[in-house]
Amino acid sequence: MAQDETQVTALDLAMADPLSDETKAYFAKCEEKLGMIPNVLKAYAFDERKLRAFSDFYNDLMLGDSGLSKLEREMIAVAVSAVNHCYYCLTAHGAAVRGLSGDPAFGEEMAMNYRAAVLTEKQKAMLDFAVKLTEAPDRIEEADRQDLREHGFTDRDIWDIAAVAAFFNMSNRMASATDMRPNSAYHRMAR
Amino acid sequence: MAQDETQVTALDLAMADPLSDETKAYFAKCEEKLGMIPNVLKAYAFDERKLRAFSDFYNDLMLGDSGLSKLEREMIAVAVSAVNHCYYCLTAHGAAVRGLSGDPAFGEEMAMNYRAAVLTEKQKAMLDFAVKLTEAPDRIEEADRQDLREHGFTDRDIWDIAAVAAFFNMSNRMASATDMRPNSAYHRMAR
Amino acid sequence: MAQDETQVTALDLAMADPLSDETKAYFAKCEEKLGMIPNVLKAYAFDERKLRAFSDFYNDLMLGDSGLSKLEREMIAVAVSAVNHCYYCLTAHGAAVRGLSGDPAFGEEMAMNYRAAVLTEKQKAMLDFAVKLTEAPDRIEEADRQDLREHGFTDRDIWDIAAVAAFFNMSNRMASATDMRPNSAYHRMAR
Amino acid sequence: MAQDETQVTALDLAMADPLSDETKAYFAKCEEKLGMIPNVLKAYAFDERKLRAFSDFYNDLMLGDSGLSKLEREMIAVAVSAVNHCYYCLTAHGAAVRGLSGDPAFGEEMAMNYRAAVLTEKQKAMLDFAVKLTEAPDRIEEADRQDLREHGFTDRDIWDIAAVAAFFNMSNRMASATDMRPNSAYHRMAR
Amino acid sequence: MAQDETQVTALDLAMADPLSDETKAYFAKCEEKLGMIPNVLKAYAFDERKLRAFSDFYNDLMLGDSGLSKLEREMIAVAVSAVNHCYYCLTAHGAAVRGLSGDPAFGEEMAMNYRAAVLTEKQKAMLDFAVKLTEAPDRIEEADRQDLREHGFTDRDIWDIAAVAAFFNMSNRMASATDMRPNSAYHRMAR
Amino acid sequence: MAQDETQVTALDLAMADPLSDETKAYFAKCEEKLGMIPNVLKAYAFDERKLRAFSDFYNDLMLGDSGLSKLEREMIAVAVSAVNHCYYCLTAHGAAVRGLSGDPAFGEEMAMNYRAAVLTEKQKAMLDFAVKLTEAPDRIEEADRQDLREHGFTDRDIWDIAAVAAFFNMSNRMASATDMRPNSAYHRMAR
């Protein structure tokens, strides 16, 4: 629950020291592009192998080629994180939805209840699938995949919707398990 | 639900063709060590970048250094998959628990209800945490972490317990979302 | 889900026209003190008797005498609304927590997951009670009331904690049932 | 759980003493019309301002003009209270359904499981909406409102269905939070 | 939901015709002792072998030797049926609790929310176990059995508590699956 | 959780001693036909009247005449037991599904998630009904029965589907309440 400013999680796991040149370069790039080093990266940096595995996985998923736009991937991230009430991910990815959409209220809707947002039917189907996969993965059936196809998604798109929703079910749990604290800068972004 | 023998998921996503030399070598190593290429790897192989990101992440998590034994990591994997009723992961990792423990009934207990198994208090605390993190991540509080510390786990161990539980919350959802089919050989292993 | 800017709910219920002098005066006072007429009041204004009953009830509860501070009442309001994923109440009362606490991040924590916030033990007990009452009212027992007493709350305080939590269980449902839209000004307040 | 006969809740909150003339007159009217003062009114009477706010709100909602009959409003009250297992409200409003319908078994059906009752399709839709709003308010969507319209309800009726269901989600929680005891006379009424 | 007066369930399954002498004698005994043939027996009478298996099982469980009194067994029956919202069992066994306890309000408390009743700590532990076994059988652990022992129950008593709770989890489901209708006489008994 | 090899449950309830000739003959028949005495029978044998009532009920249900095949009844047993995470029943009846179907993987699918299996639409409807009856018996409505009829089930079949699902909701709870241990031989059967 509580920790002082210098800790990014409730676990006593110090960053590797010294950091490798590779990590230093990665963090420098974050500072340059985002104006900060996201705390999730600092949290993984107690073990640079884990940091690299996490960031490789993340960057391919959220920034790599996909039939889903970056905004759509962030919408899934936030709608999933809302189900799991994840403070870290709602803060960091809520800021991303506000920024990418240029619509602060839309970011809030994703973080509070995506059903309150004005969505295309295709986007609604995408988020309904992501949320069902979050709440009751064992109940996904062929009919759910078929519904996505009928809304215009390809099988590759379905993989990507599932992959983003599944990833945030992992990240939400890492953040909750460790009480990961978001960088305070996120709160003011794109308001 | 249904698919013919040659498909590993319900999605129409063919493996990269030709596979890169790196992937060929990796698959050859699987055949050699496991006697098969786990279907999850074939499922990711439609995009070799995704395959590599997944297997790097997985191998560090489940096979890398940790205060948790490989068996303990597999126990977490299966107890989490039981909550999520994941056919793929219960099959593949249930076989791993049977094999690593040398106790087929113990593998069944993990896959059916870990509370039916004879466990040390420390292992019970580990699985209780993993299952709470699965079912209600938003309810994890400092008291839950403290309980693990009092059972003898270090903060690094707590990270690893969380990381394995969180990862299978992702993998269970990828498998359910795509109707991933386990290799049939798992069913007969270590009975 | 969707409606044009001039509607405050998805129901076709026009405000009384003309409004009574009493309502006009009340709305003028809102404009003066808050800079806006909260949409919830416009929503009830199709029937001025209902508007008056609602605002009398609300004003006594949230602004009247109580052993709970206004901030504490708003914290309960938001923690309850987070359980119910209520877009209207999280937006309007999240702004109130940010404003009254002077701490934007604290408002976000209440709206996302109160367990992520730094709270006194007394405040934690208050919110735990409010959230249990929201999720499982039938499970409240004497032990729950006794726990509040042991944290220093009087029986009158317990009434007020219950009353605020119960009220927002009503308001969350009115907002969700009617797709009530918060004034957009809330999003920018006290950031 | 337990309290002696003279207490109406588990909280030590004495009625205002002396009661105002207004409250005395109101209680006298209750005695005359109902043969008793409902304990919920005694519970609120520790603060006559709260008593008046509650009874104004209640009387408009349950006795005021509406497209819903008084019986229909009581049916919603009881179906909602059954979900929340509220002893006070099931007892008091169960008696009302038995009395207004002239059918004791119907009152029991509402209190035990409304799905066991013989209902018109329109009434069934009304109760299905009220129960969904109770159990999962965040899942109400335009389709739910549209379903009510297609069963012949106006938008004003939808407001009233929502308002009664929402109100009893408040009242059930006040009763559970305070262990409010129903007047024993209710048990024998309209059997 | 709806059926005419002559049917005891929603299934079109006529009683064996003619009934065997054994069944006739059993039904005559019911009429004599209870003043009616409970509809559940008529429901099973389409197959007299099933009727006999059911009534043998039931009579041993609810009327045979046990450390639990008949009232305690009926209390468990009703508390379990309340969780499952079973109209048939709440009606029939609610009447039994009213009759055996001589306290109509106590019967209502069992049927609405056993936590509202004045119970000994031992009885409270008994019903808490029965309700946990109903809601989350997979979470029963040795600590739950030990808690019963510490409240003075023998291992044989624990078997009986479990057996009654488990049986009504079966009967509640038979009644709900078939829309079984209770004899209307139950409603007026022991009020 | 833990007990030594000679105990079949966590309760200290010794088998009747000496066993009656009837019980001895029954147990001898089990040994002959199954190669073992199922532990559930030993568990009930502390009271031979209970043992007989249980086995009469069970044998009629699972082995008697029915429009459902023995395999279909075992499929229901296992799908229900998977919802309830019952170690005893998943082990014993999982073995039965593997044996009767001649398809070990099919047995695993029933025990892990029946939605992963290749089923006829009729069998899928049967299991969907059984699982809904398990998870939310109060929500079964005429539409659920009608759906079974439209898939070709008679009203007698519906009774039998309900009866098997309901029975295992009882048996799962007896096994969980007493920590009943399955005979270890089940694990190796029909792999």
Side-chain angles (χ1 to χ4, degrees), chain C residues 100-116:
Chain C
L100 289 166
S101 68
D103 181 351
F106 187 72
E108 295 295 86
E109 288 166 335
M110 286 302 107
M112 291 168 176
N113 189 341
Y114 77 96
R115 294 178 195 88

Side-chain angles (χ1 to χ4, degrees), chain B residues 137-141, chain C residues 113 115 124 128 135:
Chain B
D138 56 335
R139 287 170 196 265
I140 295 284
E141 302 189 358
Chain C
N113 189 341
R115 294 178 195 88
K124 180 66 165 42
D128 283 347
E135 295 181 327

Side-chain angles (χ1 to χ4, degrees), chain C residues 3 13 22 31 66 74 120-121 127 135 165 181 185 191:
Chain C
Q3 62 276 105
L13 291 171
E22 184 190 346
E31 289 273 21
S66 172
E74 293 288 351
T120 64
E121 285 194 22
L127 295 180
E135 295 181 327
R181 313 302 304 175
R191 292 290 180 191

Side-chain angles (χ1 to χ4, degrees), chain A residues 141, chain B residues 1, chain E residues 177, chain F residues 62 66-80 83 97 106 110 114-115 117-134 140 144-154 156-166 169:
Chain A
E141 302 190 357
Chain B
M1 199 175 356
Chain F
M62 297 300 282
S66 172
L68 307 179
S69 70
K70 284 176 194 168
L71 173 58
E72 285 168 333
R73 285 177 267 179
E74 293 288 353
M75 287 163 59
I76 295 170
V78 177
V80 165
V83 173
V97 172
F106 186 72
M110 285 301 108
Y114 76 96
R115 295 177 193 88
V118 178
L119 297 166
T120 64
E121 284 194 22
K122 188 175 176 183
Q123 288 173 326
K124 180 65 166 42
M126 175 185 82
L127 294 180
D128 282 347
F129 184 93
V131 165
K132 180 175 179 181
L133 186 61
T134 298
I140 295 285
D144 298 295
R145 287 179 287 271
Q146 195 52 34
D147 182 62
L148 288 177
R149 291 184 192 108
E150 283 161 19
H151 278 90
F153 290 105
T154 66
R156 169 59 202 269
D157 294 337
I158 296 174
W159 177 279
D160 288 355
I161 294 169
V164 176
N169 273 285

Side-chain angles (χ1 to χ4, degrees), chain E:
Chain E
M1 200 175 352
Q3 61 277 103
D4 66 73
E5 289 288 309
T6 60
Q7 260 191 297
V8 296
T9 74
L11 300 181
D12 187 17
L13 291 170
M15 281 205 282
D17 184 11
L19 290 170
S20 67
D21 289 345
E22 184 190 348
T23 300
K24 278 183 199 160
Y26 182 43
F27 281 7
K29 206 170 102 187
C30 290
E31 289 273 20
E32 186 193 316
K33 289 183 64 172
L34 309 171
M36 64 174 153
I37 305 164
N39 281 349
V40 65
L41 301 181
K42 290 190 198 161
Y44 274 94
F46 74 89
D47 179 333
E48 292 183 285
R49 187 185 308 264
K50 290 185 190 303
L51 172 62
R52 193 163 45 244
F54 175 83
S55 48
D56 284 356
F57 199 104
Y58 178 88
N59 291 333
D60 171 68
L61 181 76
M62 297 301 282
L63 307 174
D65 285 345
S66 171
L68 308 179
S69 70
K70 285 176 193 168
L71 172 57
E72 285 169 332
R73 285 177 267 181
E74 292 289 352
M75 287 163 60
I76 295 170
V78 176
V80 165
S81 301
V83 173
N84 291 327
H85 298 282
C86 177
Y87 177 55
Y88 186 95
C89 299
L90 286 168
T91 300
H93 295 276
V97 172
R98 294 194 304 272
L100 289 167
S101 68
D103 182 351
F106 186 73
E108 295 295 85
E109 288 166 335
M110 285 301 107
M112 291 168 177
N113 189 343
Y114 76 96
R115 295 177 194 88
V118 179
L119 296 167
T120 64
E121 285 194 22
K122 189 175 174 183
Q123 289 174 326
K124 180 67 166 40
M126 175 185 83
L127 295 180
D128 283 347
F129 183 93
V131 164
K132 180 175 180 181
L133 186 61
T134 298
E135 295 180 326
D138 56 334
R139 287 169 197 265
I140 296 284
E141 304 190 357
E142 184 60 21
D144 299 295
R145 286 180 288 271
Q146 195 53 33
D147 182 63
L148 288 177
R149 290 185 192 108
E150 283 162 18
H151 278 91
F153 290 105
T154 65
D155 277 27
R156 170 58 202 272
D157 294 336
I158 296 174
W159 177 280
D160 288 354
I161 294 169
V164 175
F167 179 86
F168 282 90
N169 272 286
M170 176 173 76
S171 270
N172 291 170
R173 284 173 174 83
M174 282 313 290
S176 292
T178 64
D179 192 21
M180 199 177 286
R181 313 302 303 176
N183 307 58
S184 61
Y186 286 123
H187 294 300
R188 291 180 300 276
M189 282 180 179
R191 292 291 180 190

